[in-house]
Amino acid sequence: MEKVIEKFSVKYLQILNENGSCDDNLKPSLTNKEIKKMYELMILTRAFDEKALKLQRQGRLGTFASIKGQEACQIPSAIQFLKEDLVVPAFREHGLYITLGLPIEMLFQSWSGDERGMKMPDKVNILPISIPVGSHPLHAVGAAMAFKLQKKKSVAITFFGDGATSEGDFHEAMNFAGVYKAPVVFFCQNNQFAISTPIKEQTASSTLAQKAIAYGFEGIQVDGNDVFAVYKATKDALQKARNGKGPTFIECFTYRMADHTTSDDASKYRKDSEVKKWEIKDPILRLKKYMIKKNIFSEQFELETKRNAEQKVEEAVKKAEAIPKEKAEEMFNYTYEKLTPELKEQKENVRNENK
Amino acid sequence: MTRLNLVEAINLALKQEMKKDKSVVLIGEDIGEDGGVFRVTDGLAKLYGNERVMDSPLAESGIVGTSIGMAIAGLKPVAEMQFEGFIMPALDQLINHASRIRNRSRGRFTCPLVVRCPTGGGIKALEHHSDSPETYLIHTPGLKVVMPSTPYDAKGLLISSIRDPDPVIFFEPKKVYRAIKQEVPEEEYLIPIGKAKIVKEGSDVTLITWGSLVKTSLEAVQHISDINVEVIDLRSLSPLDTSTILNSVKKTGKVVIVQEAPKTLGFSSEIIAIINEKALYSLEAPIERVTGYDVVIPLPKNEDLYLPSQEKIIKAVEKVTKNAI
Ligand SMILES: Cc1ncc(C[n+]2csc(CCOP(=O)(O)OP(=O)(O)O)c2C)c(N)n1
């Protein structure tokens, strides 16, 4: 005997298309104020990004990973997280940090190579950036398992790239999430590149969303340059998790507009014409088109939003650059809760050397 | 002869070995068209095709695990880890399998693979891009571990590593990737695994080091006019060239070891133990070591405070001299 015992399908969601036309049946209910807020946060994130690239070129910042083009993957989801939720990001997540309230000067501080920039203020429940690709989703699953055990309504949300889905730990995270029905949202920003590796060489799967099916839960692909699609997919996934219905995998299909980092030269492996094609799909531009159509956009609003953003960013740079260097001996203080005798001695030596 | 830097010398070694031996294949993240993030494999995909220069998915355990399979099946894979911080997912494959295949099968199967891995700090990089994890690998029976510090040695040592019948971890000190240019012969030559090199002869103090700190140490001792320091570049960490070390110690009676990794159980601990076992009575002073601290290496702003510097090295040489009985 031979028969088909399982069949699967994968949904794709787009609500706002490139022309700014909106599928009103699918559009999540958002006030004009909320839509404007998302626009402002995206502009702010982009202003931060542009400034960071500039500072890096001037030698005032270290290696930097640009978020350009991925703003709509982060802001519409982050505005929905609750204070009690936990966010577990990778490293290209400036939009998350800004939306969740990390002071921008601390982001600059962090990217200039100062550990203190990643000390989240109280109530900003996002972990420091995680550079080892693909291992951190497990932490989100663990946190979600804890929330479940503690009978909390909190959700853990983890962000990572397409490349991360190749690491073994990613698959362990997905499997645990499915097995324990953990209240977790996997947020994959498929920007189609892992440094130079295009998505086609990363996996033979036609979507990343379908990977979730193998682990027993839903995966959906959304247009990652569409604020409404990302908003809706996140909303549904959060609700599902809070209601004890387990994990969701959201693949945000987008494009990395910049080099991988400032140490990379993307012209070595991809054509400018391809990048150009994605310029017209820009998530900020798209939202603007929509807002114009709905008469909730004016030139003055745009100017003010940009001016405010630039001002905030400039002030943040000033603040960041005025912060004195951390004292040498601080490097010892966070190894354990208390210094071991050996560390005490090493710290004393360093203090004397750097008097 | 041409003057090459370390990156170019490694590239040349790969190119020549791939030409000579069809079973040599490369695998790693972004090593094909992109030529690797440090451009070490630049041009090789063009020359030998994507089948022998394999751009892999982003998975270090996958890269090393499949390399083990390829090696067992008769290829000679040279795998690239993008940075030392990312060799960690592959430790399971290296420690539980690569190092043990020979022993487990009583020699029936072997694992002649090379894992190339940039290492060390001093380049003002992000977290996980400045570590010195050599101890984890040296500690593993069945793995060989080398770390050249010059272009000339890099070429000869890499060829030896590729031809070695056992798994070799080939650490590349990225701080000196482009910092040193040297005459590197086109012709084939081998630097044997297991041989240290006296890079500066001296009679008063033996300074033992490896990796990018060879350069730092050589620069440091130039500032010491009244103490004649012998500088040994270990090049090969496992197996270790004990006799070169002991001969020098017997000559000078004073030892300084310079290591970038955190202090506790860094490789200098083992070197001190060996000297204590085999040449204790030649010592005229307690051995001095300049090492990293037992902390995570700080991010760029304070990285220099952690790294062994010329000043710290000079101080140690002066101290061991002063302490001599
Ligand atoms: C385990 C590990 N291997 C390699 C790297 C080097 N590296 C940094 S980012 C990156 C590509 C990541 O691609 P993806 O997950 O798609 O995220 P993106 O950079 O596109 O945001 C690589 C290979 C790393 N950080 N961690």
Side-chain angles (χ1 to χ4, degrees):
Chain A
M1 185 185 60
E2 190 178 71
K3 60 179 179 179
V4 176
I5 54 165
E6 286 280 23
K7 262 193 183 164
F8 303 105
S9 57
V10 180
K11 266 196 217 145
Y12 174 80
L13 180 68
Q14 182 193 59
I15 299 175
L16 189 61
N17 73 14
E18 274 164 60
N19 309 320
S21 309
C22 183
D23 184 334
D24 285 326
N25 291 330
L26 288 171
K27 195 186 148 245
S29 66
L30 281 159
T31 63
N32 288 346
K33 205 173 145 200
E34 285 169 322
I35 293 173
K36 281 186 168 176
K37 181 83 200 156
M38 286 200 288
Y39 182 81
E40 283 163 359
L41 281 165
M42 293 208 289
I43 291 281
L44 180 58
T45 301
R46 182 148 312 170
F48 161 78
D49 199 69
E50 282 169 0
K51 187 72 190 178
L53 288 169
K54 243 182 234 154
L55 294 178
Q56 195 280 337
R57 279 195 291 273
Q58 295 166 354
R60 289 156 72 189
L61 212 69
T63 306
F64 179 72
S66 169
I67 180 192
K68 191 172 178 194
Q70 295 177 220
E71 293 88 351
C73 301
Q74 298 179 15
I75 282 115
S77 60
I79 54 169
Q80 303 180 70
F81 303 157
L82 303 180
K83 288 244 172 332
E84 309 74 43
D85 294 338
L86 180 71
V87 184
V88 185
F91 52 83
R92 203 184 292 286
E93 269 71 284
H94 323 309
L96 294 184
Y97 287 108
I98 289 173
T99 305
L100 295 174
L102 178 68
I104 297 176
E105 58 268 26
M106 289 179 73
L107 264 187
F108 280 124
Q109 193 185 2
S110 167
W111 288 94
S112 71
D114 181 334
E115 284 83 352
R116 292 170 298 178
M118 276 289 130
K119 180 174 182 180
M120 296 303 128
D122 288 347
K123 299 205 179 132
V124 177
N125 257 345
I126 174 169
L127 293 187
I129 63 167
S130 183
I131 291 178
V133 169
S135 36
H136 63 285
L138 277 165
H139 311 156
V141 176
M145 289 162 67
F147 296 152
K148 193 171 169 184
L149 212 71
Q150 295 156 341
K151 307 225 174 331
K152 287 182 181 163
K153 282 277 176 211
S154 302
V155 175
I157 308 107
T158 180
F159 285 72
F160 49 89
D162 41 294
T165 65
S166 291
E167 288 282 0
D169 279 5
F170 162 77
H171 293 273
E172 298 182 25
M174 296 281 279
N175 191 40
F176 273 58
V179 167
Y180 291 101
K181 225 177 181 195
V184 61
V185 180
F186 293 91
F187 215 101
C188 178
Q189 299 170 84
N190 177 2
N191 63 14
Q192 305 185 56
F193 284 95
I195 310 189
S196 75
T197 310
I199 185 69
K200 290 221 156 39
E201 290 173 32
Q202 195 66 252
T203 176
S205 301
S206 57
T207 72
L208 295 175
Q210 73 201 57
K211 299 199 186 245
I213 294 166
Y215 295 103
F217 55 94
E218 186 195 1
I220 177 173
Q221 190 186 67
V222 309
D223 182 338
N225 289 18
D226 168 357
V227 283
F228 294 148
V230 174
Y231 186 96
K232 183 175 187 318
T234 310
K235 188 169 185 219
D236 294 347
L238 288 173
Q239 201 167 30
K240 182 173 136 194
R242 282 194 220 289
N243 290 338
K245 300 268 163 53
T248 308
F249 181 93
I250 302 172
E251 174 189 1
C252 273
F253 194 76
T254 182
Y255 194 84
R256 196 193 76 212
M257 295 301 292
D259 292 334
H260 167 69
T261 66
T262 49
S263 312
D264 176 45
D265 174 11
S267 71
K268 252 202 123 182
Y269 53 80
R270 71 181 188 189
K271 291 210 178 68
D272 228 27
S273 55
E274 184 187 310
V275 184
K276 283 257 148 50
K277 262 191 230 152
W278 279 86
E279 262 166 21
I280 47 174
K281 300 187 198 210
D282 186 282
I284 300 182
L285 182 66
R286 191 183 299 193
L287 184 57
K288 177 179 159 178
K289 282 181 189 162
Y290 170 82
M291 290 165 82
I292 290 172
K293 273 191 188 157
K294 294 281 158 177
N295 263 329
I296 51 171
F297 196 88
S298 67
E299 228 168 80
Q300 197 196 338
F301 166 70
E302 184 175 34
L303 268 171
E304 260 172 38
T305 307
K306 282 197 174 146
R307 200 176 325 121
N308 280 343
E310 276 157 27
Q311 216 166 18
K312 270 190 197 159
V313 166
E314 287 304 329
E315 275 165 27
V317 174
K318 255 191 223 135
K319 276 193 203 160
E321 294 192 334
I323 298 169
K325 250 195 178 184
E326 190 172 42
K327 276 204 194 116
E329 62 253 39
E330 282 293 305
M331 77 169 103
F332 296 96
N333 291 346
Y334 304 95
T335 310
Y336 305 104
E337 187 196 6
K338 290 196 184 85
L339 288 172
T340 60
E342 177 63 30
L343 280 175
K344 214 178 214 168
E345 189 185 320
Q346 293 179 16
K347 180 177 172 178
E348 205 50 47
N349 290 342
V350 167
R351 203 203 317 262
N352 292 332
E353 276 166 23
N354 292 286
K355 253 187 192 146
Chain B
M1 245 192 282
T2 19
R3 289 177 69 77
L4 301 181
N5 64 31
L6 218 105
V7 168
E8 294 160 339
I10 296 169
N11 182 279
L12 181 63
L14 291 171
K15 192 164 109 187
Q16 293 182 340
E17 279 302 279
M18 288 185 81
K19 183 167 182 201
K20 199 176 163 123
D21 181 352
K22 290 258 175 318
S23 63
V24 177
V25 297
L26 312 187
I27 183 165
E29 296 156 10
D30 307 290
I31 66 162
E33 198 175 0
D34 198 34
V37 293
F38 288 105
R39 305 286 177 256
V40 173
T41 54
D42 223 6
L44 299 179
K46 252 211 183 100
L47 217 51
Y48 298 112
N50 294 335
E51 287 189 349
R52 286 182 69 200
V53 181
M54 292 174 257
D55 263 326
S56 76
L58 208 176
E60 292 74 13
S61 184
I63 294 167
V64 174
T66 54
S67 293
I68 292 172
M70 289 187 242
I72 291 171
L75 293 181
K76 288 187 179 159
V78 181
E80 176 177 298
M81 299 285 103
Q82 209 156 64
F83 283 89
E84 69 282 358
F86 314 131
I87 199 174
M88 299 306 161
L91 287 189
D92 181 33
Q93 289 294 339
L94 285 170
I95 296 174
N96 283 337
H97 295 297
S99 65
R100 296 169 180 236
I101 297 279
R102 178 186 293 280
N103 182 66
R104 191 186 289 154
S105 69
R106 281 297 177 262
R108 168 68 176 79
F109 295 105
T110 60
C111 195
L113 73 87
V114 177
V115 176
R116 294 183 32 249
C117 184
T119 192
I123 62 158
K124 304 267 180 228
L126 298 166
E127 196 188 349
H128 309 286
H129 295 69
S130 305
D131 292 343
S132 297
E134 65 269 20
T135 288
Y136 303 122
L137 299 142
I138 301 167
H139 189 66
T140 302
L143 297 181
K144 294 184 179 175
V145 183
V146 301
M147 196 187 304
S149 75
T150 63
Y152 181 88
D153 285 352
K155 185 185 173 199
L157 254 182
L158 183 54
I159 296 179
S160 296
S161 302
I162 293 171
R163 296 185 190 174
D164 197 275
D166 286 303
V168 180
I169 313 298
F170 188 88
F171 278 118
E172 301 170 3
K174 58 176 114 68
K175 189 183 175 192
V176 292
Y177 254 156
R178 295 171 196 282
I180 306 166
K181 275 210 165 195
Q182 227 179 13
E183 302 279 320
V184 177
E186 271 288 312
E187 309 81 73
E188 178 181 312
Y189 63 96
L190 297 173
I191 305 282
I193 294 174
K195 280 302 289 173
K197 181 170 162 189
I198 297 172
V199 286
K200 180 187 167 296
E201 294 213 22
S203 49
D204 297 333
V205 173
T206 299
L207 189 156
I208 301 164
T209 189
W210 57 97
S212 78
L213 290 172
V214 174
K215 181 168 182 280
T216 314
S217 299
L218 283 172
E219 285 162 0
V221 300
Q222 275 180 4
H223 299 289
I224 314 173
S225 50
D226 50 338
I227 308 165
N228 194 351
V229 184
E230 176 146 298
V231 179
I232 298 176
D233 175 359
L234 290 180
R235 301 194 297 195
S236 176
L237 305 178
S238 174
L240 179 68
D241 183 357
T242 313
S243 64
T244 297
I245 293 172
L246 294 177
N247 288 340
S248 180
V249 173
K250 283 173 190 158
K251 177 169 71 174
T252 64
K254 296 178 276 306
V255 181
V256 172
I257 308 175
V258 184
Q259 152 199 314
E260 189 169 313
K263 182 179 179 192
T264 298
L265 274 179
F267 195 44
S268 57
S269 311
E270 179 62 23
I271 299 170
I272 293 171
I274 291 172
I275 295 172
N276 280 349
E277 283 162 6
K278 307 230 164 117
L280 182 64
Y281 298 118
S282 303
L283 288 180
E284 296 161 20
I287 295 174
E288 284 294 317
R289 50 180 162 161
V290 183
T291 69
Y293 305 109
D294 289 321
V295 302
V296 176
I297 182 169
L299 294 180
K301 285 257 152 124
N302 272 345
E303 183 185 20
D304 289 342
L305 296 167
Y306 169 98
L307 293 172
S309 60
Q310 289 193 37
E311 294 74 52
K312 291 180 198 169
I313 294 169
I314 293 169
K315 249 198 207 156
V317 170
E318 285 168 349
K319 188 169 166 201
V320 80
T321 306
K322 199 181 92 212
N323 285 348
I325 41 167

